[in-house]
Amino acid sequence: MMLPRAGLPPEPRLAWAYFLDVDGTLIDIADTPDAVRVDTALLDLIARLQRASGGAVALVSGRALSFLESRLGTLRLPLAGQHGLERRDAAGRIWIHAAPPAAKSAIKAALAPVLVRHPGLLLEDKGLTLALHYRLAPHLAAYAQRLMARLADEAGAGLEVQRGKRVAEIKPAGVDKGSAIAQYLTEPPFKRRRPVFIGDDRNDEHGFAEVNKLDGISIKVGRGKSCARFRLRDVAAVRRWLGKALNGKE
């Protein structure tokens, strides 16, 4: 079934600032975090867009910076990882918002017997956050969400649970993809450009809201309730839309 015509975004422009989620937006979601593969066609597209836009392209992901860097090969660009908790700006500087180590250790210890009882659950330690994936055990969704909410509350260290596609993630409160985008927009080459943010799940709503405040272009990939102003069907549609910015302009 086709998305309504009114939901399609306008033609992209090289004068805009592009902030792009990764999983479910630029690449299809894999069953496990380590199964993700970034193809050369995508790397070429991002590199070309970065050059043509004067460098105004950043990846804004739930992934750790180390993971993103390991998949990007020689491509180097601004990256916001772990939902903005770690951010590399266009000048190469790194900005970190860390969770208290003691609270993180206590949560991991509490989850250890749970993972033994439920092998379909997967704990991903991203360094600054703890993500409990239940993609391989969707029947445990409610249990996983309640458990992570309780552990975050018991930690009492300014932590919160962020919910995504079949994942519940404990992270420091008050930092998200929206705050990362706002920081980028105070810096060159993003400053004074109209922002674009493309994402696919609940973790991206903060980014959509921030871009909407600035009269930017917020694009939700796929179905689901969202505050995004525009829609694209899937990963392939995102790539085609970004490619339009380059047509005859390189």
Side-chain angles (χ1 to χ4, degrees):
M1 185 175 180
M2 294 185 66
L3 292 170
R5 188 71 183 172
L8 297 176
E11 293 290 300
R13 300 180 183 180
L14 293 177
W16 292 345
Y18 290 87
F19 303 102
L20 310 172
D21 176 46
V22 178
D23 295 275
T25 298
L26 295 176
I27 56 176
D28 291 312
I29 295 175
D31 286 339
T32 64
D34 290 336
V36 168
R37 296 293 179 268
V38 178
D39 56 278
T40 55
L42 174 62
L43 294 178
D44 180 65
L45 172 63
I46 298 303
R48 291 167 59 206
L49 182 61
Q50 183 189 28
R51 289 194 301 268
S53 67
V57 177
L59 300 186
V60 182
S61 172
R63 297 283 187 177
L65 287 192
S66 58
F67 179 93
L68 296 172
E69 290 170 339
S70 72
R71 298 306 197 271
L72 292 176
T74 59
L75 180 61
R76 187 169 178 84
L77 70 163
L79 302 172
Q82 300 190 60
H83 312 287
L85 293 175
E86 51 180 354
R87 189 177 70 90
R88 185 173 75 202
D89 63 23
R93 294 169 297 192
I94 303 294
W95 308 81
I96 300 291
H97 302 270
K104 180 183 165 186
S105 296
I107 292 170
K108 289 183 72 173
L111 286 171
V114 174
L115 298 174
V116 173
R117 289 197 307 271
H118 302 289
L121 296 178
L122 173 65
L123 180 64
E124 181 185 11
D125 184 347
K126 297 182 181 179
L128 302 178
T129 73
L130 292 171
L132 185 63
H133 297 268
Y134 48 89
R135 180 164 295 278
L136 300 178
H139 61 288
L140 295 176
Y143 168 74
Q145 298 284 0
R146 289 196 305 270
L147 174 62
M148 292 295 270
R150 177 173 62 79
L151 292 176
D153 184 63
E154 290 176 352
L159 302 176
E160 65 181 3
V161 175
Q162 186 152 286
R163 295 168 174 82
K165 288 185 176 176
R166 298 186 180 180
V167 62
E169 189 163 0
I170 293 178
K171 58 179 280 292
V175 181
D176 52 49
K177 292 185 178 182
S179 63
I181 290 171
Q183 289 169 334
Y184 277 126
L185 289 169
T186 67
E187 306 162 351
F190 305 99
K191 193 174 183 178
R192 298 189 182 91
R193 289 177 180 247
R194 190 178 191 189
V196 176
F197 178 55
I198 313 178
D200 72 301
D201 70 12
R202 292 171 63 179
N203 293 331
D204 299 311
E205 291 300 314
H206 294 105
F208 296 146
E210 181 64 28
V211 166
N212 288 345
K213 287 193 307 184
L214 302 170
D215 192 32
I217 308 295
S218 54
I219 304 174
K220 160 84 170 174
V221 181
R223 298 184 179 278
K225 185 178 179 181
S226 176
C227 69
R229 292 172 173 168
F230 303 99
R231 299 267 178 162
L232 287 170
R233 177 189 295 278
D234 51 25
V235 167
V238 172
R239 296 191 186 193
R240 287 194 299 270
W241 185 79
L242 292 172
K244 290 180 181 179
L246 300 169
N247 292 340
K249 297 178 181 179
E250 289 183 284

